Structures are given as C-alpha cells and as structure tokens.
Amino acid sequence: MILLKQLLLLSFVLPFAYAEPPLIVQINQPQLDKVDAEAHCTSWRVAVEANNLSPWKTVPEECRDYVREYMSGRGYLHDLQRVADETVSYARSVELNGDGKLAWVFDVDETLLSNLPYYTQHGYGSEIFDGGKFDEWVEMGMAPAIESSLKVYEEVLNLGFKVILLTGRSERYRGVTVENLFQSGFRDWGMLILRSSEDHGKTAMMYKSEKRIEVEQEGYEIVGNSGDQWSDLLGSSMSKRSFKLPNPMYYIP
Amino acid sequence: MILLKQLLLLSFVLPFAYAEPPLIVQINQPQLDKVDAEAHCTSWRVAVEANNLSPWKTVPEECRDYVREYMSGRGYLHDLQRVADETVSYARSVELNGDGKLAWVFDVDETLLSNLPYYTQHGYGSEIFDGGKFDEWVEMGMAPAIESSLKVYEEVLNLGFKVILLTGRSERYRGVTVENLFQSGFRDWGMLILRSSEDHGKTAMMYKSEKRIEVEQEGYEIVGNSGDQWSDLLGSSMSKRSFKLPNPMYYIP
C-alpha cells in the first residue's frame, strides 16, 4: 500500500521536474551555494585559528554571513566551551606546591569579557575597525563576561594560581576596566597589566612578551595562558601551555 | 497554474505526513544527527588545529566518519591549498639578499609526503598507532607528494631559501626517505635531518627545537617553517612565521 502511494506520488511529482526545470534549479541552487560557502568559510576560520593567515583587516566579504551566524549561533559557544573544558582539565593536572609562584595569564577582550554587543552592531568584523567608536563602547564598561571563561577563571583562581590579566587596553581605561570586570564577576586577580604610554606603538606580541618577561623576572612561572589572539600567546616567555579562544572577527598583530 | 499544481501537490503529500508520522521522523532524524555530529567534530578539528587539545591517541569515536570524509573528500585538499597559498604569499614577501642564509624548514610526513594510502587502510587515525606496520609502509618508499606542498617547495627553493628537511623519521630510513622524496618530485634540499640514536626518547618538540638551534648556530636564519604538527613549529628557535598544515588523524607531542 505504501509502495503504491509512493508510486502515485512519484508520478505526480515527476511532471513538475520535467515541465519546469528552472524551478528545480532555483530550489537546489541556494542550498548548494550555501554548502560551498560554508566549506570555504570554515576553511578560512580554521586558518584563522591555526594562525596561518597574514594580518587581515576585515572578515572576507564572502564569509560575512558565515561569521555572523557562527558568532550569534551555537558554533561560537560550542567552541568556547571546548576550550574551557580543555583549560580546566589542564589546570587541574598541574601540581601546585603552594608557594603561589605558578601564574596563569588571561587576556581580557574576547577572552574574559565579550565585546559581542559592540560587534553585533558593527557587522561582526566585516567593517573596518573604528577605534573611536570602540573606545566609546569600552568607556561604557558594559562588556559581559564570557560565561565559560568566568568558570575557567574561578577554577584557576581556586586552584591557587596567581592570576595575571594582561590586556592591550590603555592604562587610561584602568578604572572602567576594573569596574567592568568586577560587575561581570571577575575578582581577586593578582595583577592587571595595561598598556602604559611607552607601550603604545608596539605590536601586541612585543608588548605582551615584554610583560611576560617582567612577570618571570618577578619570580613567577607562567604555566597557562588564555587568549583569543595568537599575539596573546606567541613570542618570548611563552607559557607552558596556551589556550586559543575562538575569534573570527578581528586580528591583532 | 503553478499555484494550482502546488496546491494539488500539497493536498497529495499532506495525508502522508499525518498518516505516518514515524516515517517523517525516520527521514529527518539522521540528517539532524549528521548536522550535530558535523558541528561537534568541526569544533574538535578546530581545537586540533589551534593546538588546544591535550595529547590524544586516536580520533574520537563519534568523529571517525567525519574525519574519513574530511580526509578523503574536498575538505582536506581545500585546507591544504589555503595553507599553500598563504605560504607562497609570505615566502615571496621575504627580502632575500642572496647570501643563502635564509632558511625554510619543512617537516616530511603529512607535510611534503602523504601517508594517506596507509591511513586509508588503518581507519584514518581511528585505530591506535601501530609503529611496526607503519614502519613497513615507510620502508616501501611509496608515499606520494602532497601536490600543493610540492608547488610550495619548488617556489621556496626557486626564491633562494636554504631548504631544510627536519623529520622525526629515524636515521636508518635515510636511504628510503631520500628515494621516496626524489620519486615524488622533491629535489635540491640543503639538509635532510633525521633522528639519530641519541634523539630517540626525546619528544618531537624537543628534538626539533635542538636541531633548529644547531641550524641557527651554523649561521642560518629560519624565516619559514611548515609542518602538520605543532611540535614541528613550537619550542626553541621558532621560525619568524609558521604554517600549520591540517592533520586531524594523529598527534605527535
């Protein structure tokens, strides 16, 4: 009986297929294009996360929709959660001897605090970065915590690591940054290092490397480092292990 | 007329939907599962490529099909081509002064030569690595070139870089490795460094770091490094820029 129904259905549908081929094409084409764009832009995103790309200024035009969907959908949250799980698992495996000299470095933007409310209004990285507008957003001190990172932060803190916040934000935003971090649930860090006047003009990698060297000179051993940019993680005095949080919206050298 | 046909089609299809709901569920469920598995395993693969995972021994069970499809389909080739394009673009941007002291390091397995014929027969990384069987494959000297890497290799060579092959293969495979590389089109390298007896027992990262230090002590500056493992790229005397070729099949610490 089902077979008969299916044959009847087929005999009914087939004439459509042959009579109006453009209609069939119109139905299938966007799906095919979407699959291709998805594969192409996933490849681009993997290259971002593996640090294979030359410095880039905006999300490639053909990947704008892809990045918007990734950032506003489950993809970003899924990837954040995976990094968080790996981080906690590693942090717990480190033997702490109680001397308080094992340090964990966290970047701030897109690592502890999320600027997604800003980027949602600015094309998710598809617009050229506007420093003035972004600074206005920073000054509001409204960036929410990345939930999975807040849990990592609390775990790292409770395990007994010295928590060091190392951000590319300028020293003049110390007040608002402290307040924003507090209001988003981040407490009890050991140091908060911001860019002072002599650090301006340095690449993030250079500035952060220098600061890690200073941290080591103070007697700390950096065993973990979490950041959304490779310039948070590479350079001198690199951490024993690094955790690269996802970020397909912007690139900082 | 089209509207009428569509209404007729709808009136014909609807009774199926309501009469046999389990059939509908059977049709939709596998697709949904596949989308979920795809998202989950893409997230895993991104974590591999971003070096976020703890050492792992096999591809996670739920991602076996995903990795097989990726490696045997367009995904792997697409990602290889992207890395190749980025590599050539960077290599061309380097100013060579003709003194022959700028070096480029290439790993061999899954960077220049492909062991995909072997892994195709061994579950694409879903089986525990069998050193004995893999050595038999290496001794055959049948690994084909990764096409996109051969083009990168030739470009890097022609630009005037000193090409250094640095592989985790044992010194006793020098003969077969040279022959395999030749037969796959790789020529004119400056050095081919294999693991000597005193290097056994060292991690790949330690061994390769030591060898890069020696290369620098001989007066070379390493400006490019291509490898499919992060242990090819991280450690001491790191290259100015590194290129991580995709490899979701195995992990070497």
PDB file of all heavy atoms in Angstrom, chain A residues 218-247:
ATOM      1  N   GLU A 218      59.993  38.572  38.103  1.00  0.00           N
ATOM      2  CA  GLU A 218      59.488  38.723  39.480  1.00  0.00           C
ATOM      3  C   GLU A 218      59.384  37.369  40.190  1.00  0.00           C
ATOM      4  O   GLU A 218      58.909  37.290  41.318  1.00  0.00           O
ATOM      5  CB  GLU A 218      58.123  39.416  39.477  1.00  0.00           C
ATOM      6  CG  GLU A 218      58.208  40.905  39.116  1.00  0.00           C
ATOM      7  CD  GLU A 218      56.836  41.576  39.158  1.00  0.00           C
ATOM      8  OE1 GLU A 218      56.073  41.309  40.108  1.00  0.00           O
ATOM      9  OE2 GLU A 218      56.527  42.338  38.223  1.00  0.00           O
ATOM     10  N   GLY A 219      59.775  36.309  39.503  1.00  0.00           N
ATOM     11  CA  GLY A 219      59.829  35.006  40.162  1.00  0.00           C
ATOM     12  C   GLY A 219      58.655  34.079  39.853  1.00  0.00           C
ATOM     13  O   GLY A 219      58.548  32.991  40.426  1.00  0.00           O
ATOM     14  N   TYR A 220      57.813  34.497  38.952  1.00  0.00           N
ATOM     15  CA  TYR A 220      56.663  33.645  38.613  1.00  0.00           C
ATOM     16  C   TYR A 220      56.995  32.722  37.439  1.00  0.00           C
ATOM     17  O   TYR A 220      57.784  33.086  36.568  1.00  0.00           O
ATOM     18  CB  TYR A 220      55.439  34.493  38.244  1.00  0.00           C
ATOM     19  CG  TYR A 220      54.932  35.303  39.408  1.00  0.00           C
ATOM     20  CD1 TYR A 220      55.207  36.661  39.500  1.00  0.00           C
ATOM     21  CD2 TYR A 220      54.202  34.691  40.425  1.00  0.00           C
ATOM     22  CE1 TYR A 220      54.760  37.400  40.585  1.00  0.00           C
ATOM     23  CE2 TYR A 220      53.756  35.427  41.508  1.00  0.00           C
ATOM     24  CZ  TYR A 220      54.037  36.779  41.583  1.00  0.00           C
ATOM     25  OH  TYR A 220      53.606  37.510  42.660  1.00  0.00           O
ATOM     26  N   GLU A 221      56.352  31.559  37.448  1.00  0.00           N
ATOM     27  CA  GLU A 221      56.436  30.676  36.295  1.00  0.00           C
ATOM     28  C   GLU A 221      55.063  30.661  35.631  1.00  0.00           C
ATOM     29  O   GLU A 221      54.062  30.340  36.285  1.00  0.00           O
ATOM     30  CB  GLU A 221      56.830  29.259  36.745  1.00  0.00           C
ATOM     31  CG  GLU A 221      57.102  28.319  35.594  1.00  0.00           C
ATOM     32  CD  GLU A 221      57.249  26.863  36.045  1.00  0.00           C
ATOM     33  OE1 GLU A 221      57.347  26.623  37.271  1.00  0.00           O
ATOM     34  OE2 GLU A 221      57.246  25.977  35.177  1.00  0.00           O
ATOM     35  N   ILE A 222      55.037  31.010  34.349  1.00  0.00           N
ATOM     36  CA  ILE A 222      53.742  31.058  33.641  1.00  0.00           C
ATOM     37  C   ILE A 222      53.441  29.674  33.073  1.00  0.00           C
ATOM     38  O   ILE A 222      54.114  29.204  32.173  1.00  0.00           O
ATOM     39  CB  ILE A 222      53.769  32.115  32.507  1.00  0.00           C
ATOM     40  CG1 ILE A 222      54.091  33.503  33.090  1.00  0.00           C
ATOM     41  CG2 ILE A 222      52.439  32.138  31.777  1.00  0.00           C
ATOM     42  CD1 ILE A 222      54.392  34.561  32.035  1.00  0.00           C
ATOM     43  N   VAL A 223      52.437  29.037  33.630  1.00  0.00           N
ATOM     44  CA  VAL A 223      52.128  27.668  33.184  1.00  0.00           C
ATOM     45  C   VAL A 223      50.873  27.595  32.313  1.00  0.00           C
ATOM     46  O   VAL A 223      50.629  26.581  31.663  1.00  0.00           O
ATOM     47  CB  VAL A 223      51.991  26.685  34.369  1.00  0.00           C
ATOM     48  CG1 VAL A 223      53.324  26.501  35.076  1.00  0.00           C
ATOM     49  CG2 VAL A 223      50.928  27.154  35.336  1.00  0.00           C
ATOM     50  N   GLY A 224      50.100  28.676  32.304  1.00  0.00           N
ATOM     51  CA  GLY A 224      48.918  28.704  31.445  1.00  0.00           C
ATOM     52  C   GLY A 224      48.691  30.103  30.903  1.00  0.00           C
ATOM     53  O   GLY A 224      49.011  31.092  31.569  1.00  0.00           O
ATOM     54  N   ASN A 225      48.183  30.167  29.685  1.00  0.00           N
ATOM     55  CA  ASN A 225      47.911  31.452  29.061  1.00  0.00           C
ATOM     56  C   ASN A 225      46.680  31.304  28.177  1.00  0.00           C
ATOM     57  O   ASN A 225      46.627  30.418  27.334  1.00  0.00           O
ATOM     58  CB  ASN A 225      49.134  31.888  28.232  1.00  0.00           C
ATOM     59  CG  ASN A 225      49.017  33.314  27.702  1.00  0.00           C
ATOM     60  OD1 ASN A 225      48.014  33.989  27.928  1.00  0.00           O
ATOM     61  ND2 ASN A 225      50.051  33.768  27.000  1.00  0.00           N
ATOM     62  N   SER A 226      45.702  32.150  28.405  1.00  0.00           N
ATOM     63  CA  SER A 226      44.457  32.091  27.635  1.00  0.00           C
ATOM     64  C   SER A 226      44.259  33.390  26.870  1.00  0.00           C
ATOM     65  O   SER A 226      44.286  34.473  27.469  1.00  0.00           O
ATOM     66  CB  SER A 226      43.253  31.894  28.576  1.00  0.00           C
ATOM     67  OG  SER A 226      43.383  30.705  29.323  1.00  0.00           O
ATOM     68  N   GLY A 227      44.047  33.277  25.576  1.00  0.00           N
ATOM     69  CA  GLY A 227      43.829  34.476  24.767  1.00  0.00           C
ATOM     70  C   GLY A 227      43.126  34.141  23.470  1.00  0.00           C
ATOM     71  O   GLY A 227      43.171  33.006  23.012  1.00  0.00           O
ATOM     72  N   ASP A 228      42.479  35.145  22.897  1.00  0.00           N
ATOM     73  CA  ASP A 228      41.766  34.914  21.628  1.00  0.00           C
ATOM     74  C   ASP A 228      42.607  35.292  20.419  1.00  0.00           C
ATOM     75  O   ASP A 228      42.184  35.088  19.283  1.00  0.00           O
ATOM     76  CB  ASP A 228      40.470  35.725  21.585  1.00  0.00           C
ATOM     77  CG  ASP A 228      40.769  37.207  21.544  1.00  0.00           C
ATOM     78  OD1 ASP A 228      41.318  37.727  22.545  1.00  0.00           O
ATOM     79  OD2 ASP A 228      40.507  37.848  20.522  1.00  0.00           O
ATOM     80  N   GLN A 229      43.806  35.857  20.663  1.00  0.00           N
ATOM     81  CA  GLN A 229      44.715  36.236  19.584  1.00  0.00           C
ATOM     82  C   GLN A 229      46.018  35.465  19.743  1.00  0.00           C
ATOM     83  O   GLN A 229      46.476  35.269  20.867  1.00  0.00           O
ATOM     84  CB  GLN A 229      45.030  37.746  19.645  1.00  0.00           C
ATOM     85  CG  GLN A 229      43.821  38.648  19.496  1.00  0.00           C
ATOM     86  CD  GLN A 229      43.266  38.648  18.077  1.00  0.00           C
ATOM     87  OE1 GLN A 229      44.008  38.651  17.103  1.00  0.00           O
ATOM     88  NE2 GLN A 229      41.947  38.617  17.958  1.00  0.00           N
ATOM     89  N   TRP A 230      46.620  35.083  18.633  1.00  0.00           N
ATOM     90  CA  TRP A 230      47.915  34.421  18.728  1.00  0.00           C
ATOM     91  C   TRP A 230      48.976  35.369  19.284  1.00  0.00           C
ATOM     92  O   TRP A 230      49.975  34.929  19.857  1.00  0.00           O
ATOM     93  CB  TRP A 230      48.324  33.839  17.369  1.00  0.00           C
ATOM     94  CG  TRP A 230      47.648  32.518  17.155  1.00  0.00           C
ATOM     95  CD1 TRP A 230      46.519  32.277  16.429  1.00  0.00           C
ATOM     96  CD2 TRP A 230      48.040  31.260  17.715  1.00  0.00           C
ATOM     97  NE1 TRP A 230      46.193  30.943  16.508  1.00  0.00           N
ATOM     98  CE2 TRP A 230      47.104  30.303  17.279  1.00  0.00           C
ATOM     99  CE3 TRP A 230      49.082  30.847  18.542  1.00  0.00           C
ATOM    100  CZ2 TRP A 230      47.181  28.952  17.640  1.00  0.00           C
ATOM    101  CZ3 TRP A 230      49.165  29.507  18.906  1.00  0.00           C
ATOM    102  CH2 TRP A 230      48.219  28.590  18.455  1.00  0.00           C
ATOM    103  N   SER A 231      48.752  36.682  19.125  1.00  0.00           N
ATOM    104  CA  SER A 231      49.705  37.648  19.696  1.00  0.00           C
ATOM    105  C   SER A 231      49.603  37.692  21.223  1.00  0.00           C
ATOM    106  O   SER A 231      50.456  38.264  21.884  1.00  0.00           O
ATOM    107  CB  SER A 231      49.482  39.040  19.105  1.00  0.00           C
ATOM    108  OG  SER A 231      48.123  39.417  19.223  1.00  0.00           O
ATOM    109  N   ASP A 232      48.572  37.096  21.792  1.00  0.00           N
ATOM    110  CA  ASP A 232      48.499  36.921  23.255  1.00  0.00           C
ATOM    111  C   ASP A 232      49.415  35.778  23.699  1.00  0.00           C
ATOM    112  O   ASP A 232      49.786  35.697  24.874  1.00  0.00           O
ATOM    113  CB  ASP A 232      47.077  36.535  23.707  1.00  0.00           C
ATOM    114  CG  ASP A 232      46.046  37.608  23.413  1.00  0.00           C
ATOM    115  OD1 ASP A 232      46.416  38.797  23.425  1.00  0.00           O
ATOM    116  OD2 ASP A 232      44.872  37.249  23.181  1.00  0.00           O
ATOM    117  N   LEU A 233      49.687  34.855  22.789  1.00  0.00           N
ATOM    118  CA  LEU A 233      50.248  33.558  23.186  1.00  0.00           C
ATOM    119  C   LEU A 233      51.679  33.319  22.709  1.00  0.00           C
ATOM    120  O   LEU A 233      52.445  32.615  23.373  1.00  0.00           O
ATOM    121  CB  LEU A 233      49.348  32.435  22.645  1.00  0.00           C
ATOM    122  CG  LEU A 233      47.835  32.588  22.927  1.00  0.00           C
ATOM    123  CD1 LEU A 233      47.042  31.520  22.183  1.00  0.00           C
ATOM    124  CD2 LEU A 233      47.546  32.514  24.420  1.00  0.00           C
ATOM    125  N   LEU A 234      52.037  33.905  21.568  1.00  0.00           N
ATOM    126  CA  LEU A 234      53.365  33.662  20.990  1.00  0.00           C
ATOM    127  C   LEU A 234      54.349  34.755  21.400  1.00  0.00           C
ATOM    128  O   LEU A 234      53.964  35.788  21.926  1.00  0.00           O
ATOM    129  CB  LEU A 234      53.275  33.613  19.460  1.00  0.00           C
ATOM    130  CG  LEU A 234      52.437  32.486  18.857  1.00  0.00           C
ATOM    131  CD1 LEU A 234      52.380  32.617  17.335  1.00  0.00           C
ATOM    132  CD2 LEU A 234      53.011  31.104  19.228  1.00  0.00           C
ATOM    133  N   GLY A 235      55.628  34.515  21.156  1.00  0.00           N
ATOM    134  CA  GLY A 235      56.665  35.496  21.445  1.00  0.00           C
ATOM    135  C   GLY A 235      57.628  34.965  22.482  1.00  0.00           C
ATOM    136  O   GLY A 235      57.934  33.766  22.499  1.00  0.00           O
ATOM    137  N   SER A 236      58.087  35.850  23.376  1.00  0.00           N
ATOM    138  CA  SER A 236      59.042  35.442  24.416  1.00  0.00           C
ATOM    139  C   SER A 236      58.310  34.995  25.673  1.00  0.00           C
ATOM    140  O   SER A 236      57.144  35.332  25.870  1.00  0.00           O
ATOM    141  CB  SER A 236      59.954  36.621  24.766  1.00  0.00           C
ATOM    142  OG  SER A 236      60.534  37.134  23.594  1.00  0.00           O
ATOM    143  N   SER A 237      59.033  34.256  26.487  1.00  0.00           N
ATOM    144  CA  SER A 237      58.477  33.764  27.762  1.00  0.00           C
ATOM    145  C   SER A 237      57.089  33.167  27.569  1.00  0.00           C
ATOM    146  O   SER A 237      56.146  33.483  28.313  1.00  0.00           O
ATOM    147  CB  SER A 237      58.420  34.890  28.805  1.00  0.00           C
ATOM    148  OG  SER A 237      59.723  35.236  29.187  1.00  0.00           O
ATOM    149  N   MET A 238      56.994  32.326  26.568  1.00  0.00           N
ATOM    150  CA  MET A 238      55.700  31.694  26.293  1.00  0.00           C
ATOM    151  C   MET A 238      55.322  30.748  27.427  1.00  0.00           C
ATOM    152  O   MET A 238      56.169  30.160  28.087  1.00  0.00           O
ATOM    153  CB  MET A 238      55.765  30.917  24.978  1.00  0.00           C
ATOM    154  CG  MET A 238      55.611  31.805  23.753  1.00  0.00           C
ATOM    155  SD  MET A 238      55.993  30.940  22.209  1.00  0.00           S
ATOM    156  CE  MET A 238      54.777  29.621  22.246  1.00  0.00           C
ATOM    157  N   SER A 239      54.043  30.625  27.611  1.00  0.00           N
ATOM    158  CA  SER A 239      53.532  29.738  28.646  1.00  0.00           C
ATOM    159  C   SER A 239      53.774  28.287  28.281  1.00  0.00           C
ATOM    160  O   SER A 239      53.901  27.936  27.110  1.00  0.00           O
ATOM    161  CB  SER A 239      52.031  29.982  28.781  1.00  0.00           C
ATOM    162  OG  SER A 239      51.467  29.024  29.626  1.00  0.00           O
ATOM    163  N   LYS A 240      53.837  27.453  29.336  1.00  0.00           N
ATOM    164  CA  LYS A 240      53.984  26.022  29.129  1.00  0.00           C
ATOM    165  C   LYS A 240      52.881  25.496  28.209  1.00  0.00           C
ATOM    166  O   LYS A 240      53.114  24.707  27.317  1.00  0.00           O
ATOM    167  CB  LYS A 240      53.873  25.326  30.496  1.00  0.00           C
ATOM    168  CG  LYS A 240      54.690  24.079  30.615  1.00  0.00           C
ATOM    169  CD  LYS A 240      54.772  23.677  32.084  1.00  0.00           C
ATOM    170  CE  LYS A 240      55.380  22.292  32.236  1.00  0.00           C
ATOM    171  NZ  LYS A 240      55.384  21.872  33.639  1.00  0.00           N
ATOM    172  N   ARG A 241      51.666  25.951  28.462  1.00  0.00           N
ATOM    173  CA  ARG A 241      50.564  25.613  27.541  1.00  0.00           C
ATOM    174  C   ARG A 241      49.672  26.817  27.303  1.00  0.00           C
ATOM    175  O   ARG A 241      49.444  27.612  28.213  1.00  0.00           O
ATOM    176  CB  ARG A 241      49.727  24.445  28.082  1.00  0.00           C
ATOM    177  CG  ARG A 241      49.683  23.308  27.047  1.00  0.00           C
ATOM    178  CD  ARG A 241      48.792  22.180  27.433  1.00  0.00           C
ATOM    179  NE  ARG A 241      47.616  22.140  26.590  1.00  0.00           N
ATOM    180  CZ  ARG A 241      46.625  21.266  26.756  1.00  0.00           C
ATOM    181  NH1 ARG A 241      46.685  20.382  27.728  1.00  0.00           N
ATOM    182  NH2 ARG A 241      45.601  21.288  25.950  1.00  0.00           N
ATOM    183  N   SER A 242      49.220  26.922  26.078  1.00  0.00           N
ATOM    184  CA  SER A 242      48.391  28.061  25.700  1.00  0.00           C
ATOM    185  C   SER A 242      47.024  27.597  25.253  1.00  0.00           C
ATOM    186  O   SER A 242      46.881  26.494  24.725  1.00  0.00           O
ATOM    187  CB  SER A 242      49.049  28.820  24.540  1.00  0.00           C
ATOM    188  OG  SER A 242      50.237  29.426  24.960  1.00  0.00           O
ATOM    189  N   PHE A 243      46.046  28.457  25.436  1.00  0.00           N
ATOM    190  CA  PHE A 243      44.685  28.149  25.003  1.00  0.00           C
ATOM    191  C   PHE A 243      44.172  29.286  24.142  1.00  0.00           C
ATOM    192  O   PHE A 243      44.090  30.431  24.597  1.00  0.00           O
ATOM    193  CB  PHE A 243      43.784  27.899  26.219  1.00  0.00           C
ATOM    194  CG  PHE A 243      44.247  26.688  26.981  1.00  0.00           C
ATOM    195  CD1 PHE A 243      45.160  26.807  28.022  1.00  0.00           C
ATOM    196  CD2 PHE A 243      43.837  25.425  26.601  1.00  0.00           C
ATOM    197  CE1 PHE A 243      45.631  25.674  28.691  1.00  0.00           C
ATOM    198  CE2 PHE A 243      44.297  24.294  27.259  1.00  0.00           C
ATOM    199  CZ  PHE A 243      45.194  24.422  28.308  1.00  0.00           C
ATOM    200  N   LYS A 244      43.875  28.923  22.900  1.00  0.00           N
ATOM    201  CA  LYS A 244      43.432  29.905  21.904  1.00  0.00           C
ATOM    202  C   LYS A 244      41.915  29.906  21.845  1.00  0.00           C
ATOM    203  O   LYS A 244      41.304  28.953  21.346  1.00  0.00           O
ATOM    204  CB  LYS A 244      44.027  29.523  20.548  1.00  0.00           C
ATOM    205  CG  LYS A 244      43.457  30.248  19.338  1.00  0.00           C
ATOM    206  CD  LYS A 244      43.878  31.695  19.272  1.00  0.00           C
ATOM    207  CE  LYS A 244      43.319  32.385  18.030  1.00  0.00           C
ATOM    208  NZ  LYS A 244      41.874  32.674  18.145  1.00  0.00           N
ATOM    209  N   LEU A 245      41.317  30.956  22.391  1.00  0.00           N
ATOM    210  CA  LEU A 245      39.858  31.087  22.295  1.00  0.00           C
ATOM    211  C   LEU A 245      39.472  31.530  20.887  1.00  0.00           C
ATOM    212  O   LEU A 245      40.235  32.258  20.238  1.00  0.00           O
ATOM    213  CB  LEU A 245      39.338  32.094  23.327  1.00  0.00           C
ATOM    214  CG  LEU A 245      39.198  31.556  24.757  1.00  0.00           C
ATOM    215  CD1 LEU A 245      40.545  31.481  25.444  1.00  0.00           C
ATOM    216  CD2 LEU A 245      38.246  32.417  25.578  1.00  0.00           C
ATOM    217  N   PRO A 246      38.316  31.078  20.416  1.00  0.00           N
ATOM    218  CA  PRO A 246      37.944  31.401  19.037  1.00  0.00           C
ATOM    219  C   PRO A 246      37.666  32.892  18.846  1.00  0.00           C
ATOM    220  O   PRO A 246      37.100  33.536  19.724  1.00  0.00           O
ATOM    221  CB  PRO A 246      36.661  30.574  18.820  1.00  0.00           C
ATOM    222  CG  PRO A 246      36.104  30.358  20.193  1.00  0.00           C
ATOM    223  CD  PRO A 246      37.284  30.284  21.108  1.00  0.00           C
ATOM    224  N   ASN A 247      38.069  33.408  17.705  1.00  0.00           N
ATOM    225  CA  ASN A 247      37.717  34.770  17.326  1.00  0.00           C
ATOM    226  C   ASN A 247      37.925  34.989  15.826  1.00  0.00           C
ATOM    227  O   ASN A 247      39.027  35.283  15.395  1.00  0.00           O
ATOM    228  CB  ASN A 247      38.529  35.801  18.118  1.00  0.00           C
ATOM    229  CG  ASN A 247      38.046  37.208  17.841  1.00  0.00           C
ATOM    230  OD1 ASN A 247      37.169  37.430  16.990  1.00  0.00           O
ATOM    231  ND2 ASN A 247      38.607  38.199  18.525  1.00  0.00           N
TER     232      ASN A 247
END
